[in-house]
Amino acid sequence: VQLVEAGGGTVQAGGSLRLSCAASGTIFGINAMGWYRQFPGKQRDFVAAVTSYGGTNYTDSVKGRFIISRDRAKNTVLLEMNDLKVEDTAVYYCHFGQLSPRDGYVDFWGQGTLVTVSS
């Protein structure tokens, strides 16, 4: 599976940005798409995800500000980021995980896109 990310950039605190990620390749029915972020010198942390059945999950710090959505037919995921804070500055990575009949659970990562929130 290949993941192509778009969006990101620089915005002032309180502003909004949208990230998108398109998946292509061999995609099975049970999967989830989402976003992680990595702060400088830190490990990659979960941000939000949406399953192939539409269930969503968010890390506490973005609840009420970020909205994740998915176009299942197009295998794309959007992350609407609102009321951005300086502490949201990070490299954001698209993530795709699925159950493969042959390999079990496998996951894939995008190349990462930088989101910078200025004060």
Side-chain angles (χ1 to χ4, degrees):
V1 173
Q2 295 77 45
L3 302 175
V4 178
E5 301 165 347
T10 300
V11 66
Q12 286 191 323
S16 299
L17 282 175
R18 175 188 290 186
L19 303 181
S20 66
C21 177
S24 62
T26 302
I27 294 174
F28 298 105
I30 301 175
N31 59 67
M33 295 186 74
W35 295 90
Y36 284 66
R37 63 187 178 186
Q38 189 167 19
F39 304 108
K42 303 291 186 181
Q43 66 180 18
R44 203 170 292 183
D45 294 328
F46 172 79
V47 177
V50 54
T51 71
S52 50
Y53 296 96
T56 58
N57 194 24
Y58 299 88
T59 191
D60 285 346
S61 63
V62 307
K63 286 179 180 177
R65 300 189 297 123
F66 291 11
I67 301 172
I68 192 167
S69 61
R70 179 171 180 172
D71 184 332
R72 189 175 177 183
K74 296 181 180 179
N75 291 314
T76 58
V77 63
L78 297 177
L79 185 67
E80 296 276 356
M81 303 185 294
N82 303 305
D83 189 24
L84 281 161
K85 305 178 185 300
V86 172
E87 51 265 38
D88 292 317
T89 296
V91 178
Y92 285 70
Y93 293 90
C94 181
H95 176 262
F96 179 90
Q98 68 177 353
L99 283 177
S100 164
R102 185 186 68 180
D103 301 320
Y105 178 77
V106 290
D107 61 352
F108 304 87
W109 295 93
Q111 76 278 9
T113 185
L114 178 62
V115 171
T116 302
V117 185
S118 61
S119 58

